[in-house]
Every structure is written in structure tokens, then in C-alpha cells.
Amino acid sequence: MTAIIAARNLVRAYRLPGEGLLGRRRRLVAVDDVSLELDEGKTLGIVGESGSGKSTLARLLVGLERPDRGTIAFDGATISNLPERALRPYRRAMQMVFQDPFGSLDPRMRVIDSVAEPLDIALPGLDRDAREARVAATLAEVGLGTSALRRYPHQFSGGQRQRIAIARALITGPRLLVADEPVSALDVSIQAQILNLLVDLKLARGLSIIFISHNLGVIRYLSDHVAVMLRGRIVETGPTERVFGAPEHPYTRALIAAMPVLER
Amino acid sequence: MIIVENLSIRLGELEIVRGLSFTLAPGEVLGLVGESGSGKSMTALAVLGLLPPGMRASGSIRFEGQDLLRLSERELRAVRGRRIGMVFQEPMTALNPVMTIGAQIAEGVIRHGLADAAGASKRALRLIARVGLPDPAARLHAYPHELSGGQRQRALIALAIACRPALLVADEPTSALDVTVQAELLALLREIRDETGMAMLFITHDLAVVSRLADRTLVLYGGRAMETGATRALLAAPRHPYTHGLLAAIPRGNAHANPLRPMPGQVPELDRLPPGCPFFGRCPKGDALCRDVPPPPVPGASIAWCHRPEAAP
């Protein structure tokens, strides 16, 4: 079985402002020799603390940033060296959802236009009725009614805005969804709704998901496989229950020990 | 030690908090739990006399023989920082960026007349060591931006306890931190409570944090009390459907084995609450009585403001 996405030896470094010793520019290696693979229809959870490089890795995987070294293959085809034009069809197949849905929703655009925007780029000739029907169907899939179509993002709660952002990510029918802390800004009761929505989408669409979070509880809930990141590297990876049940790396053990567990 | 009675907070027509009552004994930690719009942060600010302009508090907050709601700003300043310390989620906004950590800690100690400059500086050094900042002598002269997020929060705790307050108000003090740092800071707060016997009003959205720190818990929703009681009892057998729903929303294990059953609907907007219970509309047990009549407190293993509370198991 070919992996839906496979990364080999990814490296991404940034120059830091200012000069280090001997006038050399200091570098921050955000992603340091990372390899991973995800089978179609499965969910990979990437867990790490702030500065672990998990968000940079997410951006590399969907092509929002280019790696300095290493390769990324989507469904068996290497895409990390493609020019922007050739990358376009893959962008449709890989979509991203962020922590702050305001970041991906233009406050001045009605929901119908925000959600349809990726579709307008992919299928510019689509007629108005077909476009609206497709948006309405996708909104229904994320639990929003047609009354949402002509409203603006500020008229929705945080959880509803995240549903809209997910609809926008789904409208082009991607095979891979990369979600970077999508529930971290949400209230507990709403967080559970969005987690279940992602589970439903995975099952209904056969969607492959890379789910990035600092929250071990939500990682464990959603993921089939887990990768633990520390300072740009994956220090442990494996099936979720194995990693949580018998963590091998000392850092994984420390993270699990620090996890706020309900005592009662 | 602190007795809050019938506290309401209004912003014009909007009732942000309604009829809240709670007490704290010395050395006790009360966890104030709620989602956005629950009124938990405004309650904390009311106790500190720091409500934003336009908000009015009524009821009473009795603390060390005076009603904090009836003090002048000048009188409040003598209490705040001295008898009541405070720690907030974002230390960068609470710390002065152009003053060294040591000077900020010493300033309060001197202002409240607890020591002279030399004594205050010594106390600052001791506190910086106590909260676990590495190399305390150097940190005394460090500026906030030179510290990591977790270190800044430690510095803020040192600042908050510098005058040995009887009460510490902590609003989501660990929520922005990495889990490993969060666990260390919760342990630190517990130790300080044990050493000094100060009481703590701990505001959080996280029931797991509450379960590790709070002796008693008060659950808020839509500005009103839902349930209160000993933390263990309340979490082991919640009597209010909202507390039950909050617990059921915490992921345990994997979706295949332990699917979540989230409560439906949205966190309510305060101007759209029904006249009765604010949880009506999302509550699986809600009926016409719940919609129309505010529920009374029903005593039991905990106190639940509910027309249909769970019986004790």
C-alpha cells in the first residue's frame, strides 16, 4: 500500500536576526531530519511543546514552505521539488486548518464566498447554482445550515467558525487534511464536537488526517499513529496505544507524566 | 476569610454574573470553573476591585472585616497586592517590561511598608529562589523579556506572594504554558499554599487542573452557579447535567474505544439566556420549568442549582 504522504529526511532552518560568534549568522533548525509516513484513511497525531517544530513540519507537508533538504511524496509522487505551477493540483488534494479560524476566513467575505474560494480557483467555470449547492452540501457535512451562507464570520461563535474553516478546507475534496491545533482555542464542550466531526469526516470521506497538538488527550483520542517531536526531531513514533501505554523515549514519558489527568 | 454574597456584575442591561455566593477559608483552594462567558474572570476581577470601566458589581465581598465592594480605590490599593495577590494568564502584561524582576518584587514590599530597600531586595532574592528560577542572583537583575514564558510566570508568582497575602487570585495562570511547565507550576502553587497557609481562588477552564489543586470547586455557566462542593465528590459524581457534560467532553483514550458524547449547541450569549436556567437548550433534561424558573440550590453530596439534579449514586 502506498502512503498518502511520505516525508524523508526533511530539514528546515531559519536564519535568526543578529550575528553570532565570528560574525556567523545564527540558525534555528526548526525541523531536523524528520521522516514520516501516513497510510490513506488514517490519522497521524504529531505532539510536541512550543518550539518543537510541529507547526513548521505541518507547513512543509502541505507545501506552504519548502524544505531545505529532504523529499515529500504524495501518493507515491515526489512533490517537494515541483515548481509552483505543477504543485497546484496537489494543493487541492492537501488542505490545512489552523488554530485561529479568523486567520483563514476573511472577515469581509460572506461565508459562501469564503468557503467557495478554493473551489473558484480549482473550477473557475462553475455556474452559480452549482457553486452554491456545493457550498451548502459541504456546510451541511460540518453541521451548519444554509442560513450560514450569507452571513459573515463575526456572526459566528469560535466553534462555528472552525466548522466553516473545515468546510473551506474540504470543498475541493482533499485526500489529506493537516490540522494545526484546530481545537486549542475552543471551549471544552465545543472542542469535543469538533473532535467528533473530524472522526466522522475521516470515516465518511476516507480522509487522511495529520493532527497537530500540544494536548496529549486530544492526540490520543483522534490518532491511529503518534509522532512525538522535541527540538525539531521526532523522538518517538508508533501506534497510539503502544506510545501511550508503553512509551519508550524519556521525553515521551515526561510528557505523559505531566499530562493533566483528572483525579477523582 | 472571604465571604462573597449575592455577587452580581452588570454591564448596562447585561447581567454578566448573577447572584454568586461562595466562601474561602485560610489555606483553602477554591476552583472557579467555566467556559467562555461563564463570568469566572469577571468574578476574579470583582474580588480584586479591577472590573473594567462600565461594569458594576452589587452584593458584598467581605474580606478581613471590610466589604471590598464598598472601598474607595485608595483603600483598595492598600488591600490589593498586600492582602490579596494576583496572577494572570499572560505574565508579559502583568510585569513591567522596563523594570528588573528584583525591582518589581521589591517595589511592592516597600510601597506597603513591609521592609526598607535593603530588606526588600533580600526578600526579592529569597522569593526568586523560592519560585525555582535558576541562578536567582542573576535573575534579580533580569528584565521580563530575558525570561522564558514559564520563568516569567514564576517571577509573577514571586511578585504576587511578596507581601505574604492572605488570598491569591489566580486566573488561568498555567493555561498558556507547555504541559511539563504547567505541572511544575501547579506543584509550586500547592507548596506555597502549604507553607504560607494562604487561600487561593483559582480560575480555570480545565477540570483536570482543578482536580489536582482545588479543595472545593464552583462550576459556573452563563454567569450563574451550576454546582459547588468538595472537588473529589463533585467530579466523582456530578449532580448537575452541565458538570456531567463538561466531564464527558474530556477525551479519554481513543475515539474507537471511548467515543465522546459532546453536549449539543453553543456556549450561550448572555443576552439570549432564558429566564430560568442558563443551561436550558443544551441540557438533556431541560423542560418548561427549567426554561422559565431559575433553579434553587439543591443540597446533597454537592449543591446543584438544578430542577432535575442527579440523585447520589
Side-chain angles (χ1 to χ4, degrees), chain A residues 74-97:
Chain A
F74 185 86
D75 203 13
T78 301
I79 57 168
S80 41
N81 56 357
L82 291 181
E84 185 54 39
R85 249 191 112 72
L87 198 60
R88 234 170 260 163
Y90 292 102
R91 285 200 195 283
R92 239 168 275 156
M94 302 182 288
Q95 288 288 326
M96 194 153 171
V97 175

Side-chain angles (χ1 to χ4, degrees), chain A:
Chain A
M1 183 173 176
T2 312
I4 184 83
I5 194 155
R8 294 270 169 274
N9 308 103
L10 291 184
V11 176
R12 179 76 173 99
Y14 299 101
R15 287 216 182 102
L16 292 175
E19 290 184 351
L21 279 175
L22 305 171
R24 254 184 246 154
R25 300 300 292 267
R26 291 181 302 154
R27 287 166 82 240
L28 171 78
V29 184
V31 171
D32 188 1
D33 196 24
V34 164
S35 300
L36 59 81
E37 243 183 55
L38 175 64
D39 287 341
E40 182 137 39
K42 297 287 184 189
T43 300
L44 171 68
I46 300 178
V47 66
E49 297 188 288
S50 50
S52 61
K54 56 192 192 300
S55 290
T56 304
L57 178 59
R59 297 171 59 82
L60 290 175
L61 291 173
V62 297
L64 288 176
E65 278 187 46
R66 299 284 183 144
D68 299 330
R69 281 207 297 278
T71 57
I72 298 165
F74 185 86
D75 203 13
T78 301
I79 57 168
S80 41
N81 56 357
L82 291 181
E84 185 54 39
R85 249 191 112 72
L87 198 60
R88 234 170 260 163
Y90 292 102
R91 285 200 195 283
R92 239 168 275 156
M94 302 182 288
Q95 288 288 326
M96 194 153 171
V97 175
F98 300 92
Q99 173 170 352
D100 173 18
F102 262 128
S104 47
L105 297 176
D106 187 330
R108 295 157 305 177
M109 272 166 88
R110 291 174 195 272
V111 166
I112 181 172
D113 297 318
S114 264
V115 173
E117 200 176 30
L119 194 62
D120 296 340
I121 296 166
L123 297 171
L126 199 65
D127 77 75
R128 280 179 59 129
D129 289 350
R131 176 179 181 264
E132 178 161 338
R134 184 117 168 229
V135 172
T138 312
L139 284 174
E141 222 182 325
V142 300
L144 291 172
T146 47
S147 65
L149 286 170
R150 320 245 170 255
R151 290 160 70 194
Y152 291 91
H154 74 264
Q155 294 173 287
F156 295 88
S157 68
Q160 289 171 320
R161 281 200 294 268
Q162 198 56 288
R163 288 178 191 270
I164 296 167
I166 292 171
R168 182 183 149 97
L170 292 179
I171 191 120
T172 55
R175 292 168 66 191
L176 173 68
L177 186 72
V178 177
D180 188 1
E181 301 273 11
V183 300
S184 303
L186 302 177
D187 276 316
V188 188
S189 66
I190 307 305
Q191 176 180 308
Q193 294 175 0
I194 300 292
L195 290 177
N196 275 1
L197 172 63
L198 289 172
V199 172
D200 292 345
L201 290 171
K202 171 185 157 178
L203 297 176
R205 287 189 170 229
L207 195 64
S208 314
I209 300 176
I210 292 183
F211 186 88
I212 290 157
S213 179
H214 71 285
N215 183 327
L216 288 106
V218 302
I219 288 276
R220 184 178 194 170
Y221 185 68
L222 275 187
S223 310
D224 301 302
H225 275 72
V226 180
V228 182
M229 281 191 83
L230 173 67
R231 290 196 282 274
R233 290 174 169 267
I234 290 179
V235 296
E236 178 159 4
T237 182
T240 304
E241 284 316 303
R242 201 281 295 153
V243 172
F244 278 89
E248 284 166 6
H249 194 280
Y251 179 68
T252 312
R253 277 187 228 131
L255 267 186
I256 291 172
M259 192 172 156
V261 180
L262 199 73
E263 291 174 4
R264 53 175 175 163

